[in-house]
Amino acid sequence: MKELRIRLLAGVFVVAGVLSWAGARLWNSVGTLPSVPLAAPVVLGLIAVVLMATALSIRARLKAQRERAPEAKGVDPLMAARAVVFGQASALVAALVSGMYGGTGVFLLESLDIPARRDQAIYAGFSVVAGIAVIAAALFLERVCKLPEDDDRNTGAPSAA
């Protein structure tokens, strides 16, 4: 399984942000603007909490297993792989959604004097912060589940101990 690259996530964030900003400008020329829901940062925050809890649980189980604790539960490799895939998918979606809300938020910075748009800009800002938390938790989960014999080159040959 390949590691998730921060460059890819940053690229998705920037492209989505630019397209969202341009779309918000176009949509505003019609006279309306799609709203940023209050639930957006809440849902992203919950996903970040789930990812972080999963990572901490797996890390504690792996530590207990390494220390040969008497009642240590092992980590099922398939469960760890599913957790990593969930984390990677969550990070990609969070980068896309954060970019969209970030672009909309940047557009809304032009009209902070209007209370409704100021609230939308605040929701967009919180959504970007929550999306970054999802990405950070997903990358942490990926690092926790990384096998010791994995190397950064991914040459396919097992590393020498």
Side-chain angles (χ1 to χ4, degrees):
M1 186 177 303
K2 293 180 83 169
E3 282 187 32
L4 199 55
R5 302 284 181 212
I6 294 177
R7 253 184 295 162
L8 172 67
L9 296 173
V12 169
F13 177 83
V14 168
V15 168
V18 169
L19 290 175
S20 177
W21 174 79
R25 286 183 56 93
L26 180 65
W27 202 310
N28 189 50
S29 68
V30 175
T32 62
L33 188 67
S35 65
V36 178
L38 178 59
V42 173
V43 170
L44 287 170
L46 287 175
I47 292 171
V49 167
V50 167
L51 287 170
M52 187 58 75
T54 303
L56 293 174
S57 171
I58 291 174
R59 186 176 74 167
R61 289 170 70 181
L62 287 172
K63 181 180 178 190
Q65 193 175 9
R66 272 192 309 269
E67 294 173 353
R68 301 198 189 281
E71 302 207 9
K73 288 176 138 182
V75 176
D76 180 29
L78 188 57
M79 189 270 305
R82 287 178 181 157
V84 170
V85 169
F86 172 64
Q88 288 181 345
S90 298
L92 286 168
V93 171
L96 179 69
V97 170
S98 296
M100 288 174 28
Y101 288 135
T104 303
V106 167
F107 172 76
L108 290 171
L109 289 177
E110 299 171 0
S111 55
L112 289 178
D113 53 335
I114 302 169
R117 290 207 173 183
R118 181 177 49 245
D119 292 343
Q120 296 296 307
I122 291 170
Y123 299 158
F126 282 140
S127 296
V128 171
V129 170
I132 291 170
V134 168
I135 292 169
L139 291 174
F140 178 65
L141 174 62
E142 189 177 58
R143 299 300 184 262
V144 165
C145 292
K146 186 175 180 180
L147 293 174
E149 60 267 2
D150 283 352
D151 59 2
D152 291 338
R153 295 176 302 250
N154 288 332
T155 59
S159 60

